[in-house]
Amino acid sequence: QESDQRDFLMDNSDQLTAIINTKNQVIHDLQAQLQALQGASSTDGGGPAVSAQALAQALENVVTTTAELDRLRGHARKLEDELKSSEAKLEAAKTARNEALAKASTAKAASGELEAQKRQLQLYEQENARQAAELASIATNNAMEVGRLQASLA
């Protein structure tokens, strides 16, 4: 189950990266259009006001998109950090469980402590599952937001 959760989050991370790369291409295309508009407004004697307005709109779109991409990149980095932290906690919990099981097999008096450690492990696993679900939800929301932004640029 934990592996499935990690795979799901990693899949969404790859999708988010692909979307960001697509957004970068859109920005590049918009910049090329801006350059073309600048060239057209300098050679077109009759329409500099219209070209200037189109140029201003295109520039505004690029600035807005760039800011949103930066925000999404930061959010993606934060999600990746949270995922790594959850995985580290899970590994630490597994190690603690294994150590506790070894102690319990050699000392009968430690059975009460073992139960407490098992409960702590369950809490760690439950918290990990909660964080994984939250990360999956956030990744899905980000993917939808990126899709919305792509649609607004189209």
Side-chain angles (χ1 to χ4, degrees), residues 93-115:
K94 285 179 181 179
T95 301
R97 178 193 65 196
N98 291 338
E99 290 172 0
L101 290 172
K103 286 180 182 179
S105 67
T106 58
K108 292 180 182 179
S111 66
E113 180 182 339
L114 177 62
E115 289 302 315

Side-chain angles (χ1 to χ4, degrees), residues 51-91:
S51 295
Q53 183 180 11
L55 178 63
Q57 180 64 40
L59 183 59
E60 182 180 330
N61 289 343
V62 168
V63 169
T64 302
T65 301
T66 301
E68 184 62 14
L69 280 174
D70 288 343
R71 184 188 72 78
L72 289 173
R73 283 185 185 127
H75 194 63
R77 279 190 293 274
K78 178 183 171 193
L79 290 174
E80 289 171 354
D81 291 344
E82 288 176 10
L83 179 60
K84 288 177 185 174
S85 174
S86 293
E87 288 174 345
K89 287 179 184 177
L90 178 60
E91 289 304 315

